[in-house]
């Protein structure tokens, strides 16, 4: 066997190992996180200064491998060009894990069918509305507009980390109903 035959044999072995490892990983599967957004928005609290509402999002891992959810962010899309009477703030909060610093601590979602039920994760999209421009909360909410809310998270597992997003729609009528105010006809 000469040098070129040895190099050729080594390359064939490396290629075979790469193909076999890819086939093994394909058989083992990947994570597959799906999100149920069907729960309604609910009022958490309301006083003269603010309204806080939330929506439960159910994350399920339908895949064969564990997934990690990181950096969950709730971003209300309410630019002042659309309506400047309300400041809207958002945050993501894991069920049973409230935090005052708005930090979202990474969490594992086990593979589908986990015996302990850890293949499901509940995250709450929380929104806080604050009046602006010297208005009362009731006055500001009575002129509210429909808004979209992006819920963005970083996800990883066997697949490289990537960002995912769902967009929630929140109508002015729904906000007014939760707050117990009547929308102005303007």
């Amino acid at each position: 066997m000469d040098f070129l035959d040895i190099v050729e044999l080594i390359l064939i072995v490396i290629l075979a190992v790469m193909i076999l490892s890819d086939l093994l990983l394909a058989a083992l599967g990947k994570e597959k996180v799906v999100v149920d957004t069907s729960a309604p928005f609910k009022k958490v609290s309301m006083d003269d200064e603010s309204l806080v509402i939330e929506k439960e999002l159910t994350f399920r891992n339908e895949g064969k491998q564990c997934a990690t959810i990181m950096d969950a962010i709730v971003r209300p899309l309410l630019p002042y060009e659309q309506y400047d009477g309300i400041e809207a703030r958002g945050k993501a909060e894991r069920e049973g894990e409230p935090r005052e610093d708005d930090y979202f601590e990474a969490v594992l979602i086990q593979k589908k069918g986990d015996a302990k039920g850890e293949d499901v994760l509940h995250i709450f999209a929380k929104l806080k509305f604050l009046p602006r421009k010297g208005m009362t909360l009731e006055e500001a909410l009575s002129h509210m507009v429909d808004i979209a809310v992006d819920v963005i998270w970083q996800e990883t597992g066997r697949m490289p980390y990537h960002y995912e997003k769902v967009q929630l729609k929140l109508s002015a009528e729904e906000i007014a109903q939760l707050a117990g105010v009547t929308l102005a006809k303007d």
Side-chain angles (χ1 to χ4, degrees), residues 12 32 46 68 83 112 134 151 182:
I12 290 172
K32 181 182 176 191
M46 184 173 170
T68 304
Y83 178 57
K112 182 177 181 177
V151 180
T182 304

Side-chain angles (χ1 to χ4, degrees), residues 1 3 15 27 29 43 45 58 66 75 82 98 104 111-112 131 135-137 145 154 162 171:
M1 241 182 175
F3 178 73
L15 181 62
K43 179 167 65 173
S45 66
T58 304
C66 181
R75 184 171 182 246
Q82 183 181 5
F104 187 86
K111 66 182 180 180
K112 182 177 181 177
M135 288 191 270
T136 65
L137 180 63
V145 296
Q154 189 180 56
H162 57 282
S171 70

Side-chain angles (χ1 to χ4, degrees), residues 57-76:
L57 306 174
T58 304
F59 287 65
R60 282 187 168 69
N61 187 354
E62 302 278 327
K64 295 181 178 181
Q65 296 296 324
C66 181
T68 304
I69 303 297
M70 306 173 279
D71 299 333
I73 301 161
V74 175
R75 184 171 182 246

Side-chain angles (χ1 to χ4, degrees), residues 119-168:
D119 55 349
V120 176
L121 174 66
H122 301 281
I123 295 176
F124 291 88
K126 293 194 169 216
L127 298 168
K128 185 174 188 175
F129 298 102
L130 304 153
R132 295 185 70 239
K133 298 196 154 202
M135 288 191 270
T136 65
L137 180 63
E138 185 175 329
E139 182 183 8
L141 290 175
S142 71
H143 296 279
M144 191 63 187
V145 296
D146 297 349
I147 66 170
V149 179
D150 283 347
V151 180
I152 306 162
W153 66 93
Q154 189 180 56
E155 177 182 316
T156 190
R158 285 208 185 274
M159 292 189 297
Y161 76 90
H162 57 282
Y163 283 93
E164 294 288 337
K165 174 175 95 168
V166 294
Q167 190 169 79
L168 311 174

